[in-house]
Amino acid sequence: ESSLRGTKPEDHNILCNLANLYKDLLRVMDGEQLTRWLPELITTIINHSVRLPLVSGFYKLLAAVLGVADRTNYFQDESEDHQSLERYVMRYLEDVVVHCKQYKNDLQASSLLAVIAAPVHLIQSLLAGIPPMMQMIFQLGQGYVSIAHSGMDALERWQDKLPSDQLKPILYQVLPSFDPYLRSTGILIEEESEEEIKLSKTQQKRTKRMAESTQLSKLQGRMLKLLSKLDSATCLSLLRQENTSAVA
């Protein structure tokens, strides 16, 4: 078990900070310039993650890199090199789907988000395991709204790209998870900026209330927009599971 931990207490935080930095950089960089490096990036990250499966930073890095692969349609190339890498990624993702249920907190969230960041045609091979994963994501999102937004990112992407017969079984099981968000009138944001810390307590409370309202309203708007694009039978699946719990 000791081999699964950093040799220094601060190692984990440093890697997570680097992962967040690279995630922001990769999001704005030209994807075409990155494609030549994708095989090495993906292989290196997965190898480290397999060796150290309890380090959340590797899942965060992989999610960012798979996002680049998705927007550049990297795995649509049918060359043997691309197909070989695709098979390697699929074996890894299948393993993550199995083990993520055992993880907790940030580790679980990071592993879940790495899977749903995968290009859509890779997700098609994992469809059986996707609904419970999305349910976990929206459960975690009740405490960390950014996770719920990531879940919506995936659903919106799948709504555009997955065939209806593959998307509907996912939605039937996931839409009930919207209920506590749509019923709620406030979600606490998970962190304060440096500027907020410097404000007086009264100003902090006012700023936090505004942030809560903004984050929740954005999420609710995205959920309602997604629902508006569905047929009535699918929308009614929102009522299949009674869920009266309030978002913390």
Side-chain angles (χ1 to χ4, degrees):
E1 183 177 355
S2 60
S3 64
L4 299 176
R5 299 174 181 173
T7 56
K8 297 181 180 179
E10 64 271 19
D11 284 352
H12 178 76
N13 290 335
I14 292 173
L15 179 59
C16 284
N17 288 335
L18 284 173
N20 289 330
L21 173 62
Y22 280 114
K23 179 177 67 175
D24 292 338
L25 288 174
L26 291 174
R27 187 181 295 120
V28 299
M29 290 179 67
D30 182 3
E32 296 301 328
Q33 295 180 351
L34 294 169
T35 53
R36 59 176 294 198
W37 299 104
L38 284 179
E40 184 173 353
L41 281 170
I42 291 173
T43 302
T44 300
I45 294 169
I46 289 179
N47 286 344
H48 282 296
S49 182
V50 169
R51 186 169 60 89
L52 302 168
L54 302 186
V55 178
S56 62
F58 294 126
Y59 299 107
K60 295 178 180 181
L61 283 171
L62 184 63
V65 175
L66 288 179
V68 175
D70 184 42
R71 74 173 189 260
T72 59
N73 297 315
Y74 182 81
F75 288 110
Q76 297 296 331
D77 189 317
E78 296 184 358
S79 67
E80 178 55 33
D81 288 344
H82 285 67
Q83 294 302 304
S84 176
L85 180 62
E86 178 179 324
R87 291 190 292 270
Y88 182 64
V89 173
M90 282 304 308
R91 288 195 298 271
Y92 171 79
L93 293 179
E94 289 168 355
D95 187 67
V96 174
V97 169
V98 172
H99 290 93
C100 67
K101 302 172 186 177
Q102 305 167 14
Y103 300 153
K104 301 293 183 183
N105 303 321
D106 181 61
L107 177 60
Q108 184 178 63
S110 299
S111 62
L112 291 168
L113 297 183
V115 174
I116 66 171
V120 170
H121 83 282
L122 298 187
I123 289 294
Q124 289 176 301
S125 302
L126 303 169
L127 288 179
I130 291 299
M133 293 185 67
M134 294 301 293
Q135 290 167 350
M136 285 188 281
I137 285 171
F138 284 109
Q139 180 65 36
L140 290 168
Q142 293 182 23
Y144 298 90
V145 68
S146 61
I147 297 176
H149 275 289
S150 295
M152 288 304 303
D153 290 341
L155 288 177
E156 290 166 356
R157 189 158 45 93
W158 299 341
Q159 189 176 41
D160 290 336
K161 297 183 179 181
L162 276 179
S164 177
D165 62 323
Q166 294 181 349
L167 179 64
K168 282 187 176 181
I170 296 174
L171 294 176
Y172 284 145
Q173 298 181 64
V174 174
L175 289 185
S177 299
F178 285 13
D179 186 66
Y181 294 95
L182 295 175
R183 290 177 182 269
S184 179
T185 58
I187 292 181
L188 290 177
I189 57 174
E190 56 266 31
E191 58 184 356
E192 295 177 333
S193 66
E194 292 182 5
E195 289 76 14
E196 289 176 324
I197 294 173
K198 296 176 182 178
L199 297 176
S200 68
K201 290 184 178 180
T202 301
Q203 290 174 312
Q204 286 186 39
K205 290 179 181 179
R206 186 180 301 114
T207 301
K208 181 173 289 189
R209 283 197 298 269
M210 292 174 62
E212 291 170 7
S213 177
T214 300
Q215 290 296 319
L216 177 60
S217 62
K218 285 181 179 178
L219 185 64
Q220 290 172 328
R222 295 180 72 182
M223 289 178 170
L224 292 173
K225 184 176 180 179
L226 183 143
L227 290 171
S228 72
K229 297 179 180 180
L230 304 177
D231 60 82
S232 58
T234 306
C235 287
L236 288 174
S237 66
L238 182 62
L239 306 177
R240 285 176 56 249
Q241 173 181 315
E242 183 177 358
N243 188 344
T244 58
S245 61
V247 176

